[in-house]
Amino acid sequence: MPLVQKISDQLKRAMYGDAWHGPSVLETLEGVSADQAASKHVDNAHSIWEITLHITAWFRIVALRLEGKDPEVTRDIDWPAINDSSA
């Protein structure tokens, strides 16, 4: 299997299931409400929602790189803001 396919497969497993490291991202988030995801219990820490947007951003960045593209990564892309379209 070519390296690009191996990386793509591992990304899919990490996000959707059968990940080598344990529960996938979606399995981990199962049952978490929007209110829980948006709440912050520690000052200056990211919420579950923010971390999920960050993971999704990097999933997309890696996918673009696997396609041979070189997307610019800014803070706004790396840590997208929570807004109505995030829900």
Side-chain angles (χ1 to χ4, degrees):
M1 178 185 300
L3 182 58
V4 169
Q5 281 183 300
K6 287 180 183 179
I7 294 170
S8 178
D9 178 62
Q10 289 302 314
L11 284 172
K12 287 176 188 171
R13 289 171 183 254
M15 184 64 80
Y16 301 108
D18 197 24
W20 65 269
H21 53 75
S24 69
V25 172
L26 292 181
E27 290 169 330
T28 301
L29 293 173
E30 192 171 311
V32 176
S33 71
D35 287 339
Q36 290 171 317
S39 67
K40 291 187 179 186
H41 299 284
V42 178
D43 290 339
N44 299 317
H46 291 289
S47 67
I48 293 170
W49 198 321
E50 290 169 325
I51 293 168
T52 302
L53 289 175
H54 175 70
I55 291 169
T56 302
W58 276 98
F59 192 88
R60 290 179 181 145
I61 291 165
V62 171
L64 288 169
R65 289 181 176 171
L66 289 173
E67 293 173 2
K69 299 173 184 167
D70 188 19
E72 180 182 359
V73 181
T74 62
R75 175 139 175 88
D76 291 342
I77 291 170
D78 190 16
W79 288 99
I82 295 176
N83 57 46
D84 291 340
S85 65
S86 301

